[in-house]
């Protein structure tokens, strides 16, 4: 009887863990703030160029949104992140300072790993 109770408790703990993991990767969990927050999108009137950077530490859709918003605060720049590949593509209308992008990404809590080849 004790074995059945222990087995039932372990199965319940595993089910709850799976449920929270699925919600986490959908951006609905408590990770990085979670929730239904949608940052403002930024569109440039013209694009002079694009640069691709590697960003480490993005684990979910909410992480992606945080990185994009951090870059969108740079005047004349708009970012699009891919959390699965760990990439950030920044379109810019005027000269773009890589150091400013690094500062913004790191201030948001992620590791800037430099330009992607």
């Amino acid at each position: 009887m004790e074995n059945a109770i222990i087995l039932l408790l372990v199965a319940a703990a595993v089910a709850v863990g799976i449920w929270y993991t699925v919600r986490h990767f959908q951006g609905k969990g408590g990770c990085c703030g979670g929730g239904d927050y949608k940052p403002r999108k930024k569109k440039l009137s013209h694009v002079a160029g694009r640069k691709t950077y590697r960003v480490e530490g993005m684990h979910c859709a909410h992480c992606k949104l945080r990185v994009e918003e951090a870059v969108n605060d740079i005047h004349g720049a708009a970012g699009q992140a891919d959390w699965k590949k760990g990439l950030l593509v920044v379109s810019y209308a005027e000269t773009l300072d890589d150091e400013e992008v690094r500062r913004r990404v790191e201030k948001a809590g992620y590791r800037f790993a430099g330009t992607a080849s």
Side-chain angles (χ1 to χ4, degrees), residues 58-74:
M58 293 187 289
H59 302 290
C60 63
H62 189 74
C63 294
K64 165 197 172 348
L65 296 176
R66 285 187 60 186
V67 169
E68 287 177 357
E69 187 166 82
V71 172
N72 288 348
D73 284 342
I74 300 172

Side-chain angles (χ1 to χ4, degrees), residues 36-53:
D36 295 327
Y37 171 71
K38 300 286 184 216
R40 66 193 181 289
K41 291 289 182 183
K42 185 173 181 182
K43 207 164 197 176
L44 301 174
S45 59
H46 73 283
V47 176
R50 287 185 174 81
K51 289 186 179 182
T52 303
Y53 303 97

Side-chain angles (χ1 to χ4, degrees), residues 7-17:
L7 186 60
L8 185 63
L9 289 174
V10 169
V14 168
V16 168

Side-chain angles (χ1 to χ4, degrees), residues 4-5 9 12-13 15 21 23 31 36 41 47-48 56 61 64-65 69 71 77 83 90 95 112 115-117:
I5 293 172
L9 289 174
T21 300
R23 289 183 47 84
C31 169
D36 295 327
K41 291 289 182 183
V47 176
E56 296 173 355
K64 165 197 172 348
L65 296 176
E69 187 166 82
V71 172
W83 67 272
V90 180
T95 58
F112 183 82
T115 58
S117 53

Side-chain angles (χ1 to χ4, degrees), residues 53-58 66-71 74 88 98-114:
Y53 303 97
R54 294 209 170 277
V55 177
E56 296 173 355
M58 293 187 289
R66 285 187 60 186
V67 169
E68 287 177 357
E69 187 166 82
V71 172
I74 300 172
L88 169 65
D98 292 341
E99 187 61 25
E100 179 66 17
V101 175
R102 182 195 63 78
R103 275 194 302 274
R104 299 289 178 118
V105 167
E106 290 180 353
K107 186 176 180 183
Y110 302 92
R111 185 174 176 276
F112 183 82

